[in-house]
Amino acid sequence: MTAAPSAGGPAGAAGAAADGAAGAGVLASDRADALAKAATLIEALPWLERFHGQTIVIKLGGNAMTDQALRVAFAQDVVFLRYVGLLPVVVHGGGPQISAQLDKLGMPVTFRAGLRVTTPEAMDVVRMVLTGQVNRDVVGLINQHGPFAVGMSGEDAQLLTASRAHATVDGELVDLGQVGQIDSVNPGAVAALLADGRIPVISSVACGAGGEIYNVNADTAAAALAVALGAAKLVVLTDVPGLYADWRGAAAPASGQVISELTAAELTALLPALSDGMIPKMEACLTAVSGGVPQAHVVDGRLPHVVLLEIFTDSGVGTMVVPGGQPPQAGGPG
C-alpha cells in the first residue's frame, strides 16, 4: 500500500504553486481594476476644480425621463454632482407623459414648429402632469439618496413670468394657445435653495402678468434660468447623440457624424435649416451662451450617466456651443 504524499511532497508543492499563481492572477486583476478606477477619478480632478461651487443647469428630457434605468442613473448623477461640490439645478418637461394623458382623455395633440399647441383644457392636463406627476417622480428618485431635491413649478415665487407666444409656419403667424415665451426670471427662490444645499427640480410651467398659466418649452426655460443664475454650464438631454453635421430637416441624418463644438455665430447660421425637434434645443443653447453662460451642451440622454461623462471626462460627449465666433463659410462646420 503506497503512502499518501505529504503536504510538502511534489503534489502538495504543485498544488501550492497553482494556488499561488491563481492568487497572483486575482491580485493582478484587482490591481488593474483599481488603477483604472483611480485613473478615471484623476481625469475628473481638473473638472472638479473648475466647476466646484458652480451652478450647472440640466434639462431633463427624452428617454431619460421615461426609461426607469436611465431615470435612476440620472438621479445618481445629480446627487453625485451635489456631493462633489457642484450646484445642480434640474429643469424638466414631460412631453411623452402629457401626450399619454391627453390621449387617455381623448384630447387631440398638435405640434407646430416643434411646440405643443395648448388649449385651456389641455393646459389643465399639462399643469397636472408636469407639476403633480413628473416633478414628484424626479424629486422622489433624487431623494432616495438623501434630503436634497425640492420640487418647484415656474409659477412658484414667480420664478418664470411669461406671455403668449406665437410661431411662424410657412410665413404665417400661428397661435399656439397657452404656450408662453419667457419674459423674466426671478431666481431668488432657486438661489436660496442652492445656498441651503438643496437640488431644485423645476417644472416648465410659467405664470402671466395677469395670472394666466402658460406651458413653456423646457429647453427654453432651462436656458433662461441658466442665464439668470449665472450658471457655468447648461446641459440639455435629448434622444440623439448631438447635432448631426448633415441633419438639415431630414427624417434622419445621412451619416452619423456629430458636430462636437460650434460657436454661437456658426449655430445661428445653421438654425433655419434644422429639424423642428432640434430647433428649440439648439435655440436654448444659443440663448444661454449669448446670455453669458460659458458652455451649453446637447447630449444623448439614452446613455447612462451621460451627465457625469460630459462634465468630468476630457473628451466630453454630444455637441458643445460656445460664445462668439464668425459665421461659417458655405457648407458650415463638419
Side-chain angles (χ1 to χ4, degrees), residues 114-151:
L115 299 172
R116 183 187 303 274
V117 177
T118 307
T119 64
E121 295 77 17
M123 188 65 232
D124 290 338
V125 176
V126 169
R127 194 183 194 188
M128 175 187 69
V129 171
L130 289 183
T131 304
Q133 175 190 335
V134 178
N135 190 269
R136 305 319 307 166
D137 289 346
V138 177
V139 166
L141 284 171
I142 294 173
N143 283 345
Q144 289 181 12
H145 303 280
F148 299 125
V150 176

mmCIF file of all heavy atoms in Angstrom, residues 114-151:
data_model
loop_
_atom_site.group_PDB
_atom_site.id
_atom_site.type_symbol
_atom_site.label_atom_id
_atom_site.label_comp_id
_atom_site.label_asym_id
_atom_site.label_seq_id
_atom_site.Cartn_x
_atom_site.Cartn_y
_atom_site.Cartn_z
ATOM 1 N N GLY A 114 -42.464 72.579 -33.786
ATOM 2 C CA GLY A 114 -41.831 71.873 -32.692
ATOM 3 C C GLY A 114 -42.414 72.158 -31.327
ATOM 4 O O GLY A 114 -41.917 71.640 -30.324
ATOM 5 N N LEU A 115 -43.478 72.954 -31.241
ATOM 6 C CA LEU A 115 -44.085 73.322 -29.965
ATOM 7 C C LEU A 115 -45.521 72.798 -29.892
ATOM 8 O O LEU A 115 -46.251 72.805 -30.878
ATOM 9 C CB LEU A 115 -44.077 74.848 -29.792
ATOM 10 C CG LEU A 115 -42.689 75.508 -29.769
ATOM 11 C CD1 LEU A 115 -42.825 77.022 -29.792
ATOM 12 C CD2 LEU A 115 -41.893 75.073 -28.551
ATOM 13 N N ARG A 116 -45.912 72.372 -28.695
ATOM 14 C CA ARG A 116 -47.243 71.818 -28.494
ATOM 15 C C ARG A 116 -48.290 72.940 -28.478
ATOM 16 O O ARG A 116 -48.170 73.919 -27.745
ATOM 17 C CB ARG A 116 -47.291 71.079 -27.150
ATOM 18 C CG ARG A 116 -48.624 70.393 -26.860
ATOM 19 C CD ARG A 116 -48.626 69.831 -25.446
ATOM 20 N NE ARG A 116 -47.535 68.905 -25.222
ATOM 21 C CZ ARG A 116 -47.585 67.608 -25.513
ATOM 22 N NH1 ARG A 116 -48.694 67.099 -26.011
ATOM 23 N NH2 ARG A 116 -46.548 66.827 -25.277
ATOM 24 N N VAL A 117 -49.313 72.806 -29.304
ATOM 25 C CA VAL A 117 -50.437 73.738 -29.248
ATOM 26 C C VAL A 117 -51.253 73.391 -28.000
ATOM 27 O O VAL A 117 -51.683 72.255 -27.824
ATOM 28 C CB VAL A 117 -51.307 73.628 -30.519
ATOM 29 C CG1 VAL A 117 -52.510 74.558 -30.413
ATOM 30 C CG2 VAL A 117 -50.476 73.949 -31.758
ATOM 31 N N THR A 118 -51.443 74.379 -27.118
ATOM 32 C CA THR A 118 -52.021 74.113 -25.794
ATOM 33 C C THR A 118 -53.307 74.903 -25.608
ATOM 34 O O THR A 118 -53.287 76.119 -25.399
ATOM 35 C CB THR A 118 -51.012 74.479 -24.687
ATOM 36 O OG1 THR A 118 -49.774 73.820 -24.947
ATOM 37 C CG2 THR A 118 -51.525 74.041 -23.332
ATOM 38 N N THR A 119 -54.428 74.209 -25.670
ATOM 39 C CA THR A 119 -55.728 74.830 -25.399
ATOM 40 C C THR A 119 -55.893 74.996 -23.888
ATOM 41 O O THR A 119 -55.157 74.392 -23.100
ATOM 42 C CB THR A 119 -56.861 73.947 -25.935
ATOM 43 O OG1 THR A 119 -56.847 72.695 -25.215
ATOM 44 C CG2 THR A 119 -56.681 73.678 -27.429
ATOM 45 N N PRO A 120 -56.880 75.798 -23.439
ATOM 46 C CA PRO A 120 -57.110 75.919 -21.986
ATOM 47 C C PRO A 120 -57.375 74.575 -21.323
ATOM 48 O O PRO A 120 -56.907 74.323 -20.205
ATOM 49 C CB PRO A 120 -58.341 76.835 -21.913
ATOM 50 C CG PRO A 120 -58.255 77.667 -23.154
ATOM 51 C CD PRO A 120 -57.702 76.749 -24.204
ATOM 52 N N GLU A 121 -58.122 73.685 -22.015
ATOM 53 C CA GLU A 121 -58.393 72.367 -21.451
ATOM 54 C C GLU A 121 -57.109 71.538 -21.363
ATOM 55 O O GLU A 121 -56.864 70.832 -20.370
ATOM 56 C CB GLU A 121 -59.414 71.622 -22.311
ATOM 57 C CG GLU A 121 -60.800 72.261 -22.346
ATOM 58 C CD GLU A 121 -60.866 73.489 -23.263
ATOM 59 O OE1 GLU A 121 -59.945 73.662 -24.103
ATOM 60 O OE2 GLU A 121 -61.831 74.264 -23.130
ATOM 61 N N ALA A 122 -56.295 71.643 -22.414
ATOM 62 C CA ALA A 122 -55.025 70.905 -22.407
ATOM 63 C C ALA A 122 -54.085 71.468 -21.350
ATOM 64 O O ALA A 122 -53.288 70.729 -20.753
ATOM 65 C CB ALA A 122 -54.380 70.966 -23.781
ATOM 66 N N MET A 123 -54.153 72.772 -21.093
ATOM 67 C CA MET A 123 -53.270 73.388 -20.105
ATOM 68 C C MET A 123 -53.499 72.807 -18.718
ATOM 69 O O MET A 123 -52.562 72.618 -17.942
ATOM 70 C CB MET A 123 -53.491 74.917 -20.079
ATOM 71 C CG MET A 123 -52.477 75.658 -19.204
ATOM 72 S SD MET A 123 -50.790 75.544 -19.837
ATOM 73 C CE MET A 123 -49.927 74.963 -18.370
ATOM 74 N N ASP A 124 -54.742 72.495 -18.392
ATOM 75 C CA ASP A 124 -55.030 71.869 -17.096
ATOM 76 C C ASP A 124 -54.311 70.530 -16.974
ATOM 77 O O ASP A 124 -53.777 70.185 -15.920
ATOM 78 C CB ASP A 124 -56.538 71.667 -16.930
ATOM 79 C CG ASP A 124 -57.287 72.974 -16.744
ATOM 80 O OD1 ASP A 124 -56.649 73.967 -16.328
ATOM 81 O OD2 ASP A 124 -58.509 73.004 -17.008
ATOM 82 N N VAL A 125 -54.302 69.783 -18.078
ATOM 83 C CA VAL A 125 -53.624 68.486 -18.077
ATOM 84 C C VAL A 125 -52.112 68.676 -18.000
ATOM 85 O O VAL A 125 -51.422 67.970 -17.253
ATOM 86 C CB VAL A 125 -54.006 67.681 -19.335
ATOM 87 C CG1 VAL A 125 -53.235 66.362 -19.392
ATOM 88 C CG2 VAL A 125 -55.494 67.429 -19.383
ATOM 89 N N VAL A 126 -51.587 69.626 -18.764
ATOM 90 C CA VAL A 126 -50.153 69.912 -18.752
ATOM 91 C C VAL A 126 -49.686 70.263 -17.341
ATOM 92 O O VAL A 126 -48.686 69.721 -16.842
ATOM 93 C CB VAL A 126 -49.824 71.072 -19.717
ATOM 94 C CG1 VAL A 126 -48.387 71.560 -19.513
ATOM 95 C CG2 VAL A 126 -50.029 70.640 -21.159
ATOM 96 N N ARG A 127 -50.416 71.122 -16.710
ATOM 97 C CA ARG A 127 -50.062 71.561 -15.352
ATOM 98 C C ARG A 127 -50.085 70.389 -14.371
ATOM 99 O O ARG A 127 -49.178 70.229 -13.551
ATOM 100 C CB ARG A 127 -51.046 72.648 -14.921
ATOM 101 C CG ARG A 127 -50.657 73.450 -13.700
ATOM 102 C CD ARG A 127 -51.779 74.405 -13.405
ATOM 103 N NE ARG A 127 -51.440 75.446 -12.467
ATOM 104 C CZ ARG A 127 -52.335 76.291 -11.956
ATOM 105 N NH1 ARG A 127 -53.610 76.199 -12.333
ATOM 106 N NH2 ARG A 127 -51.966 77.224 -11.094
ATOM 107 N N MET A 128 -51.112 69.577 -14.473
ATOM 108 C CA MET A 128 -51.260 68.438 -13.580
ATOM 109 C C MET A 128 -50.127 67.435 -13.777
ATOM 110 O O MET A 128 -49.524 66.956 -12.806
ATOM 111 C CB MET A 128 -52.601 67.752 -13.815
ATOM 112 C CG MET A 128 -52.809 66.474 -13.019
ATOM 113 S SD MET A 128 -54.329 65.604 -13.491
ATOM 114 C CE MET A 128 -53.882 65.036 -15.147
ATOM 115 N N VAL A 129 -49.819 67.133 -15.040
ATOM 116 C CA VAL A 129 -48.798 66.128 -15.320
ATOM 117 C C VAL A 129 -47.404 66.624 -14.945
ATOM 118 O O VAL A 129 -46.635 65.925 -14.275
ATOM 119 C CB VAL A 129 -48.852 65.715 -16.806
ATOM 120 C CG1 VAL A 129 -47.657 64.834 -17.165
ATOM 121 C CG2 VAL A 129 -50.147 64.988 -17.108
ATOM 122 N N LEU A 130 -47.070 67.843 -15.367
ATOM 123 C CA LEU A 130 -45.726 68.355 -15.122
ATOM 124 C C LEU A 130 -45.446 68.549 -13.635
ATOM 125 O O LEU A 130 -44.423 68.083 -13.113
ATOM 126 C CB LEU A 130 -45.512 69.676 -15.864
ATOM 127 C CG LEU A 130 -45.401 69.614 -17.382
ATOM 128 C CD1 LEU A 130 -45.114 71.000 -17.939
ATOM 129 C CD2 LEU A 130 -44.309 68.648 -17.809
ATOM 130 N N THR A 131 -46.335 69.255 -12.966
ATOM 131 C CA THR A 131 -46.075 69.623 -11.574
ATOM 132 C C THR A 131 -46.526 68.551 -10.592
ATOM 133 O O THR A 131 -45.858 68.312 -9.581
ATOM 134 C CB THR A 131 -46.768 70.960 -11.257
ATOM 135 O OG1 THR A 131 -46.306 71.959 -12.189
ATOM 136 C CG2 THR A 131 -46.438 71.420 -9.849
ATOM 137 N N GLY A 132 -47.625 67.873 -10.911
ATOM 138 C CA GLY A 132 -48.157 66.910 -9.960
ATOM 139 C C GLY A 132 -47.647 65.499 -10.123
ATOM 140 O O GLY A 132 -47.692 64.709 -9.175
ATOM 141 N N GLN A 133 -47.154 65.160 -11.317
ATOM 142 C CA GLN A 133 -46.704 63.789 -11.551
ATOM 143 C C GLN A 133 -45.205 63.717 -11.824
ATOM 144 O O GLN A 133 -44.445 63.126 -11.042
ATOM 145 C CB GLN A 133 -47.462 63.173 -12.727
ATOM 146 C CG GLN A 133 -46.977 61.781 -13.114
ATOM 147 C CD GLN A 133 -47.590 61.305 -14.423
ATOM 148 O OE1 GLN A 133 -48.661 61.734 -14.827
ATOM 149 N NE2 GLN A 133 -46.888 60.415 -15.110
ATOM 150 N N VAL A 134 -44.760 64.305 -12.934
ATOM 151 C CA VAL A 134 -43.363 64.177 -13.337
ATOM 152 C C VAL A 134 -42.430 64.783 -12.292
ATOM 153 O O VAL A 134 -41.416 64.178 -11.913
ATOM 154 C CB VAL A 134 -43.139 64.823 -14.717
ATOM 155 C CG1 VAL A 134 -41.666 64.734 -15.100
ATOM 156 C CG2 VAL A 134 -44.008 64.164 -15.773
ATOM 157 N N ASN A 135 -42.764 65.968 -11.823
ATOM 158 C CA ASN A 135 -41.912 66.640 -10.845
ATOM 159 C C ASN A 135 -41.748 65.796 -9.589
ATOM 160 O O ASN A 135 -40.635 65.630 -9.066
ATOM 161 C CB ASN A 135 -42.493 68.013 -10.501
ATOM 162 C CG ASN A 135 -41.548 68.862 -9.685
ATOM 163 O OD1 ASN A 135 -41.569 68.835 -8.456
ATOM 164 N ND2 ASN A 135 -40.696 69.625 -10.356
ATOM 165 N N ARG A 136 -42.853 65.249 -9.113
ATOM 166 C CA ARG A 136 -42.788 64.430 -7.900
ATOM 167 C C ARG A 136 -41.959 63.168 -8.122
ATOM 168 O O ARG A 136 -41.239 62.708 -7.227
ATOM 169 C CB ARG A 136 -44.195 64.039 -7.429
ATOM 170 C CG ARG A 136 -45.159 65.191 -7.195
ATOM 171 C CD ARG A 136 -44.524 66.378 -6.511
ATOM 172 N NE ARG A 136 -43.828 66.007 -5.273
ATOM 173 C CZ ARG A 136 -42.971 66.802 -4.634
ATOM 174 N NH1 ARG A 136 -42.678 67.983 -5.112
ATOM 175 N NH2 ARG A 136 -42.403 66.393 -3.517
ATOM 176 N N ASP A 137 -42.063 62.586 -9.313
ATOM 177 C CA ASP A 137 -41.287 61.384 -9.610
ATOM 178 C C ASP A 137 -39.786 61.671 -9.586
ATOM 179 O O ASP A 137 -39.003 60.900 -9.017
ATOM 180 C CB ASP A 137 -41.681 60.822 -10.981
ATOM 181 C CG ASP A 137 -43.069 60.198 -10.983
ATOM 182 O OD1 ASP A 137 -43.607 59.952 -9.888
ATOM 183 O OD2 ASP A 137 -43.611 59.965 -12.083
ATOM 184 N N VAL A 138 -39.373 62.772 -10.215
ATOM 185 C CA VAL A 138 -37.952 63.125 -10.251
ATOM 186 C C VAL A 138 -37.440 63.443 -8.845
ATOM 187 O O VAL A 138 -36.366 62.988 -8.434
ATOM 188 C CB VAL A 138 -37.709 64.310 -11.206
ATOM 189 C CG1 VAL A 138 -36.236 64.722 -11.185
ATOM 190 C CG2 VAL A 138 -38.136 63.964 -12.621
ATOM 191 N N VAL A 139 -38.215 64.211 -8.112
ATOM 192 C CA VAL A 139 -37.834 64.545 -6.738
ATOM 193 C C VAL A 139 -37.669 63.269 -5.904
ATOM 194 O O VAL A 139 -36.703 63.115 -5.144
ATOM 195 C CB VAL A 139 -38.885 65.478 -6.101
ATOM 196 C CG1 VAL A 139 -38.699 65.574 -4.590
ATOM 197 C CG2 VAL A 139 -38.808 66.869 -6.730
ATOM 198 N N GLY A 140 -38.606 62.346 -6.047
ATOM 199 C CA GLY A 140 -38.545 61.119 -5.273
ATOM 200 C C GLY A 140 -37.318 60.285 -5.573
ATOM 201 O O GLY A 140 -36.687 59.736 -4.659
ATOM 202 N N LEU A 141 -36.926 60.190 -6.855
ATOM 203 C CA LEU A 141 -35.745 59.419 -7.220
ATOM 204 C C LEU A 141 -34.479 60.031 -6.635
ATOM 205 O O LEU A 141 -33.602 59.318 -6.139
ATOM 206 C CB LEU A 141 -35.627 59.334 -8.742
ATOM 207 C CG LEU A 141 -36.581 58.368 -9.444
ATOM 208 C CD1 LEU A 141 -36.506 58.555 -10.960
ATOM 209 C CD2 LEU A 141 -36.257 56.923 -9.072
ATOM 210 N N ILE A 142 -34.368 61.345 -6.692
ATOM 211 C CA ILE A 142 -33.190 62.009 -6.133
ATOM 212 C C ILE A 142 -33.148 61.837 -4.621
ATOM 213 O O ILE A 142 -32.093 61.555 -4.029
ATOM 214 C CB ILE A 142 -33.181 63.501 -6.524
ATOM 215 C CG1 ILE A 142 -32.988 63.655 -8.039
ATOM 216 C CG2 ILE A 142 -32.084 64.256 -5.773
ATOM 217 C CD1 ILE A 142 -33.144 65.074 -8.544
ATOM 218 N N ASN A 143 -34.279 61.958 -3.986
ATOM 219 C CA ASN A 143 -34.322 61.913 -2.523
ATOM 220 C C ASN A 143 -34.176 60.507 -1.945
ATOM 221 O O ASN A 143 -34.117 60.350 -0.722
ATOM 222 C CB ASN A 143 -35.603 62.572 -2.017
ATOM 223 C CG ASN A 143 -35.526 64.082 -2.080
ATOM 224 O OD1 ASN A 143 -34.439 64.647 -2.241
ATOM 225 N ND2 ASN A 143 -36.661 64.739 -1.972
ATOM 226 N N GLN A 144 -34.078 59.514 -2.791
ATOM 227 C CA GLN A 144 -33.704 58.192 -2.301
ATOM 228 C C GLN A 144 -32.269 58.185 -1.777
ATOM 229 O O GLN A 144 -31.875 57.291 -1.033
ATOM 230 C CB GLN A 144 -33.863 57.151 -3.412
ATOM 231 C CG GLN A 144 -35.313 56.836 -3.766
ATOM 232 C CD GLN A 144 -35.438 55.786 -4.845
ATOM 233 O OE1 GLN A 144 -34.467 55.114 -5.195
ATOM 234 N NE2 GLN A 144 -36.634 55.639 -5.397
ATOM 235 N N HIS A 145 -31.501 59.207 -2.176
ATOM 236 C CA HIS A 145 -30.100 59.305 -1.769
ATOM 237 C C HIS A 145 -29.880 60.329 -0.667
ATOM 238 O O HIS A 145 -28.737 60.576 -0.268
ATOM 239 C CB HIS A 145 -29.238 59.661 -2.983
ATOM 240 C CG HIS A 145 -29.369 58.682 -4.117
ATOM 241 N ND1 HIS A 145 -28.706 57.472 -4.144
ATOM 242 C CD2 HIS A 145 -30.114 58.721 -5.252
ATOM 243 C CE1 HIS A 145 -29.025 56.821 -5.242
ATOM 244 N NE2 HIS A 145 -29.871 57.556 -5.936
ATOM 245 N N GLY A 146 -30.923 60.956 -0.186
ATOM 246 C CA GLY A 146 -30.790 61.952 0.866
ATOM 247 C C GLY A 146 -31.789 63.075 0.676
ATOM 248 O O GLY A 146 -32.426 63.184 -0.381
ATOM 249 N N PRO A 147 -31.915 63.946 1.671
ATOM 250 C CA PRO A 147 -32.922 65.028 1.613
ATOM 251 C C PRO A 147 -32.447 66.214 0.795
ATOM 252 O O PRO A 147 -32.198 67.299 1.317
ATOM 253 C CB PRO A 147 -33.094 65.398 3.084
ATOM 254 C CG PRO A 147 -31.744 65.150 3.679
ATOM 255 C CD PRO A 147 -31.184 63.950 2.959
ATOM 256 N N PHE A 148 -32.346 66.011 -0.520
ATOM 257 C CA PHE A 148 -31.748 67.034 -1.367
ATOM 258 C C PHE A 148 -32.753 67.778 -2.245
ATOM 259 O O PHE A 148 -32.767 69.008 -2.290
ATOM 260 C CB PHE A 148 -30.676 66.401 -2.270
ATOM 261 C CG PHE A 148 -29.544 65.765 -1.536
ATOM 262 C CD1 PHE A 148 -29.215 64.444 -1.768
ATOM 263 C CD2 PHE A 148 -28.806 66.476 -0.608
ATOM 264 C CE1 PHE A 148 -28.164 63.845 -1.095
ATOM 265 C CE2 PHE A 148 -27.759 65.890 0.078
ATOM 266 C CZ PHE A 148 -27.438 64.568 -0.167
ATOM 267 N N ALA A 149 -33.569 67.040 -2.976
ATOM 268 C CA ALA A 149 -34.390 67.647 -4.018
ATOM 269 C C ALA A 149 -35.610 68.356 -3.444
ATOM 270 O O ALA A 149 -36.266 67.853 -2.535
ATOM 271 C CB ALA A 149 -34.828 66.594 -5.027
ATOM 272 N N VAL A 150 -35.900 69.527 -4.007
ATOM 273 C CA VAL A 150 -37.107 70.286 -3.678
ATOM 274 C C VAL A 150 -37.818 70.597 -4.986
ATOM 275 O O VAL A 150 -37.247 71.214 -5.882
ATOM 276 C CB VAL A 150 -36.777 71.594 -2.929
ATOM 277 C CG1 VAL A 150 -38.055 72.398 -2.686
ATOM 278 C CG2 VAL A 150 -36.071 71.302 -1.612
ATOM 279 N N GLY A 151 -39.066 70.158 -5.107
ATOM 280 C CA GLY A 151 -39.823 70.381 -6.324
ATOM 281 C C GLY A 151 -40.403 71.775 -6.393
ATOM 282 O O GLY A 151 -40.861 72.320 -5.383
#
